[in-house]
Amino acid sequence: MEDDPNRLYRLDGVAYIAGAIHLEETFSELPQGADNETVRRYAHTYIMMLLSTQLFGDKSGTRLHIHWLPYVARLEDMGQYSWGSAALSWLFRCMCRMTNRNVVKLAGPLQLLQSWIFWRFPGFRPEGFDVFHWPLASSWSGYQPTLSDKGPRVAHWRLRIDLLQHRRCEYLLFLPEVVQVVHPEILEPRHMSLWRAATALIYFAVIEWHPVDRVLPQFGGVQGRPRAAVNIDFLMSKDGRGEDRWFPHTLQFWHLHWADRAQHVLQFDVVADPGPSHEYLDWWYQYGRRFLSPEHLL
């Protein structure tokens, strides 16, 4: 039977059929006295597991798609990929899907989302997790919410968000104690400048926009009136199946935008006390929804 070329991947001259593999059955534990090649193979598998279940987790549980094989074939090449932008693209897509009332579970890199919330909003941080180490997201790995009932917990946090004051947000990129534990390459200007690029974020067929112009205080800038949002609603139906499997061709415009991201880095003044401008506040009061909680709770 001839292989379907749309489901075929080639890696070092070996053809793999697109599908899913299960890790626990074969790679649950490294054998005693394993040689270097075996250790390397298990390392590849462990990285694939992290990619599929942590950074790019979906609702399939522990199933791992074989499309990751080309990206972990050579450990020496893995540093050339922008894993962070791809993970952010997948998180944005998962959060968009969650706005559908028929969707009941949220997928994506939720540990990173929770870490970002605790980092940017100190008042939401759990007590007893103040030691910073690398990776930063693991600082709160042992946190377990004390409230078990979903209804009161949601109402509680909605009210906390409604009562949040401007001064209770952390705008600094890294505090001095955090700088001591992050990898120094992260803070090189050539990397930090690209954080401010208004460009497309790509995760296979998932294309999302990086609206950095709407979060300037995170980068030390004063937030002005936002630009009109980029309409990418038609991209919500792209999932890599069927006719759009070869997305670098069918979605070429967005791939070229990403390749040219250095030309789309926003330029703005960095100030000691960033925050919203009067123009932004006027816009927000006109179009934003000020409160999440019912009026009687406020």
Side-chain angles (χ1 to χ4, degrees), residues 224-262:
R225 185 184 181 92
R227 308 172 185 174
V230 177
N231 188 341
I232 58 172
D233 290 349
F234 74 99
L235 291 172
M236 294 296 106
S237 62
K238 305 297 182 180
D239 58 6
R241 305 176 192 175
E243 296 299 326
D244 61 352
R245 175 172 295 279
W246 300 109
F247 37 85
H249 174 70
T250 59
L251 304 175
Q252 185 180 33
F253 170 81
W254 303 97
H255 282 255
L256 293 176
H257 207 294
W258 164 257
D260 198 33
R261 60 192 177 278

Side-chain angles (χ1 to χ4, degrees), residues 51-82:
L51 294 176
S52 185
T53 63
Q54 300 297 317
L55 289 180
F56 306 102
D58 55 27
K59 297 179 183 179
S60 66
T62 59
R63 295 176 60 193
L64 175 62
H65 200 285
I66 205 169
H67 63 199
W68 289 113
L69 277 174
Y71 297 93
V72 300
R74 287 176 51 83
L75 298 179
E76 300 82 1
D77 295 339
M78 292 193 65
Q80 69 181 349
Y81 304 120
S82 180

Side-chain angles (χ1 to χ4, degrees), residues 51-164:
L51 294 176
S52 185
T53 63
Q54 300 297 317
L55 289 180
F56 306 102
D58 55 27
K59 297 179 183 179
S60 66
T62 59
R63 295 176 60 193
L64 175 62
H65 200 285
I66 205 169
H67 63 199
W68 289 113
L69 277 174
Y71 297 93
V72 300
R74 287 176 51 83
L75 298 179
E76 300 82 1
D77 295 339
M78 292 193 65
Q80 69 181 349
Y81 304 120
S82 180
W83 299 104
S85 65
L88 192 58
S89 176
W90 179 233
L91 175 62
F92 286 172
R93 177 59 55 87
C94 291
M95 295 178 70
C96 286
R97 289 175 175 173
M98 192 61 191
T99 60
N100 188 325
R101 66 175 59 190
N102 297 320
V103 177
V104 296
K105 292 183 179 181
L106 176 62
L110 302 183
Q111 297 94 332
L112 298 182
L113 176 62
Q114 183 185 58
S115 176
W116 177 86
I117 294 172
F118 289 161
W119 180 250
R120 293 298 182 184
F121 304 99
F124 295 167
R125 296 176 188 171
E127 298 181 357
F129 296 88
D130 300 324
V131 178
F132 299 115
H133 46 80
W134 182 260
L136 292 176
S138 63
S139 299
W140 297 282
S141 59
Y143 169 65
Q144 294 292 336
T146 55
L147 297 177
S148 58
D149 192 40
K150 178 181 178 181
R153 187 167 71 247
V154 171
H156 167 76
W157 287 109
R158 282 178 176 170
L159 185 59
R160 291 284 298 274
I161 294 174
D162 288 333
L163 300 179
L164 186 66

Side-chain angles (χ1 to χ4, degrees), residues 181-237:
V181 298
V182 299
H183 196 287
E185 185 177 353
I186 295 176
L187 303 180
E188 291 183 4
R190 62 190 178 96
H191 293 311
M192 294 181 65
S193 64
L194 292 178
W195 298 351
R196 305 194 304 269
T199 186
L201 302 176
I202 302 172
Y203 166 62
F204 291 107
V206 174
I207 309 291
E208 292 286 342
W209 189 252
H210 189 219
V212 68
D213 58 301
R214 292 176 173 247
V215 290
L216 292 186
Q218 291 191 26
F219 302 94
V222 176
Q223 183 63 60
R225 185 184 181 92
R227 308 172 185 174
V230 177
N231 188 341
I232 58 172
D233 290 349
F234 74 99
L235 291 172
M236 294 296 106
S237 62

